[in-house]
Amino acid sequence: MNGYYPVMLQLRGERCVIIGGGRIAERKLQGLLEAGADNITLVSPRITPRLQELAASGSLHWQCRIYQPSDAEGARLLFGATDDPKLNRRIAEDGRRAGAWVNTVDEAEGRGFLNPSVVRRGDLLIAVSATGASPALSIRLKRELEQQYGEEYGYSAGQLRRLRDYMKVSGFEPGEREALLRLAAEEVPFKGETEVDITAWIKQLRAKRPLD
């Protein structure tokens, strides 16, 4: 067993702090933005041109200075993304004391969380990690998943969400709702770009449902 517990985090409104201003910080920031994080602070005396652009656009709050222990206070996620191993260890220690979940360039030092390789297709989110054993393997598996699960899966997940939401408020008996949603998921992937007619879809699913 690798000792990691996989979770999906909702980061809207949560304070996320990145210490560092280089390429690693760029990658961490990109992952946060893709996840919808909207309260991101970046601390570094120097940052890349790309990070400067994102700071100017309002995607993050840039503190142009060196790291201070107080930067960890109130952070939900804290990233040590500098090229200084000793500083990353300090960041990890400060973060743990402050109650933040910590991720560092040297994952073992953070003892908090890992960033998996991620494939996003609308509501569908697929994450894979070799838990630090081989980042190259995680990247390879991500490429394979990207090829296997194209944009049609994002469309399909969106239609399944519409179906589920409709059935939740339309008085369906729980057993029937579960059975029909299971049948609908077996039809994935769907082809198309327009919204499916929900009532017609339910009629078709009922016709496919085995008799109890």
Side-chain angles (χ1 to χ4, degrees):
M1 292 180 63
N2 57 36
Y4 286 95
Y5 183 75
V7 298
M8 301 289 182
L9 301 178
Q10 174 55 260
L11 294 178
R12 290 188 184 89
E14 301 288 352
R15 184 168 185 260
C16 302
V17 180
I18 302 172
I19 313 300
R23 299 300 181 188
I24 295 173
E26 281 188 11
R27 292 200 299 271
K28 302 301 183 182
L29 175 63
Q30 186 62 39
L32 290 173
L33 293 175
E34 290 176 355
D38 55 7
N39 184 6
I40 305 171
T41 296
L42 181 75
V43 179
S44 178
R46 295 177 301 278
I47 61 177
T48 66
R50 176 56 180 158
L51 290 173
Q52 291 179 28
E53 292 175 4
L54 291 169
S57 72
S59 297
L60 61 105
H61 309 289
W62 176 29
Q63 300 292 319
C64 183
R65 56 173 173 76
I66 63 173
Y67 168 74
Q68 300 172 357
S70 59
D71 291 323
E73 296 175 4
R76 175 69 69 184
L77 300 184
L78 178 65
F79 297 84
T82 80
D83 57 3
D84 183 341
K86 291 183 179 180
L87 176 55
N88 288 333
R89 283 195 291 272
R90 280 181 49 211
I91 293 167
E93 292 167 358
D94 293 341
R96 287 196 297 274
R97 281 194 293 269
W101 288 1
V102 181
N103 173 274
T104 66
V105 176
D106 181 351
E107 309 288 8
E109 296 294 346
R111 299 205 304 272
F113 70 96
L114 303 175
N115 286 125
S117 296
V118 174
V119 176
R120 294 181 183 274
R121 298 288 186 258
D123 286 327
L124 180 64
L125 174 61
I126 307 172
V128 60
S129 173
T131 62
S134 175
L137 176 59
S138 296
I139 293 171
R140 186 199 120 190
L141 292 175
K142 174 185 177 179
R143 288 198 300 264
E144 293 178 1
L145 289 167
E146 286 175 332
Q147 294 175 0
Q148 183 174 355
Y149 298 99
E151 296 298 335
E152 67 273 16
Y153 280 86
Y155 167 76
S156 300
Q159 299 310 302
L160 289 170
R161 177 185 289 278
R162 290 182 60 237
L163 176 64
R164 183 170 181 264
D165 290 346
Y166 176 87
M167 297 180 76
K168 284 168 64 176
V169 299
S170 298
F172 281 79
E173 187 269 331
E176 181 186 29
R177 183 172 69 237
E178 180 180 348
L180 295 182
L181 290 174
R182 190 163 52 245
L183 285 172
E186 290 173 359
E187 296 179 350
V188 170
F190 312 136
K191 303 294 184 180
E193 297 180 355
T194 60
E195 292 188 345
V196 175
D197 184 322
I198 295 295
T199 56
W201 191 8
I202 291 173
K203 184 177 180 180
Q204 294 171 3
L205 292 171
R206 278 175 164 162
K208 291 181 179 180
R209 184 184 178 189
L211 297 175
D212 295 331

